[in-house]
Amino acid sequence: MSDLKERLRSDLTTAMKARDQVRVATIRMALSAINTEEVAGDTHRELTDDEVVTVLGRESKKRRESAEAFDGAGRTELAERERAEQAVLTDYLPSQLSDEELTSLVAAAIAETGAEGPKQMGQVMKVVQPQVAGRADGRRVSGEVKRQLSGS
């Protein structure tokens, strides 16, 4: 079993003893998503820590998007709940890249690919994505790539 999955199970027990309802619900949801991923496909398999991080990142993104949607609909109570769940998931994700780190990674990828304009954004993204996996939102990465390729 992956270390991260084991940590989630341990933290679930701790949260249940502390009667922390938001944390309990969020960790249960995360474990459920991990289990669903493990049984998807033809054979059951154990996820690696990297795959667990990918699942947790996907769940965190869902929470952020839901919070934005609830804010837009004026449902602040539900938006706050989604943000609280996202905060719990963030504890299990790798630290996010700073703007400076992201800028230098993108600049290196542009130099490596020799890209010279927005039409070659896909080539740069293919190089950058594996390097930032789980440590930067795709929207943030593509925005930086676009900014550097357009020369602004």
Side-chain angles (χ1 to χ4, degrees), residues 20-127:
D20 184 344
Q21 295 304 317
V22 171
R23 196 166 197 80
V24 168
T26 305
I27 294 173
R28 277 187 176 151
M29 172 276 310
L31 286 169
S32 174
I34 291 166
N35 287 336
T36 300
E37 189 76 19
E38 287 178 337
V39 298
D42 296 335
T43 59
H44 175 73
R45 63 191 177 88
E46 286 288 326
L47 296 182
T48 64
D49 274 346
D50 288 342
E51 291 170 321
V52 170
V53 166
T54 301
V55 172
L56 294 177
R58 192 169 46 229
E59 293 300 320
S60 178
K61 181 180 178 186
K62 285 180 189 175
R63 299 298 165 284
R64 186 186 68 246
E65 290 171 350
S66 294
E68 290 170 3
F70 285 136
D71 276 338
R75 306 285 307 267
T76 54
E77 229 176 80
L78 293 172
E80 289 305 315
R81 169 92 182 180
E82 294 292 329
R83 283 194 189 87
E85 289 180 2
Q86 183 184 9
V88 171
L89 291 171
T90 302
D91 293 345
Y92 300 97
L93 294 171
S95 60
Q96 295 292 296
L97 290 172
S98 68
D99 289 339
E100 297 80 32
E101 292 171 318
L102 182 59
T103 301
S104 66
L105 277 173
V106 170
I110 289 173
E112 180 183 323
T113 60
E116 297 177 358
K119 288 185 178 181
Q120 295 166 322
M121 185 173 166
Q123 295 172 349
V124 177
M125 289 296 287
K126 281 181 190 171
V127 173

Side-chain angles (χ1 to χ4, degrees), residues 10-21 23-25 27:
S10 169
D11 289 354
L12 176 60
T13 304
T14 305
M16 289 169 89
K17 288 178 182 175
R19 299 194 191 298
D20 184 344
Q21 295 304 317
R23 196 166 197 80
V24 168
I27 294 173

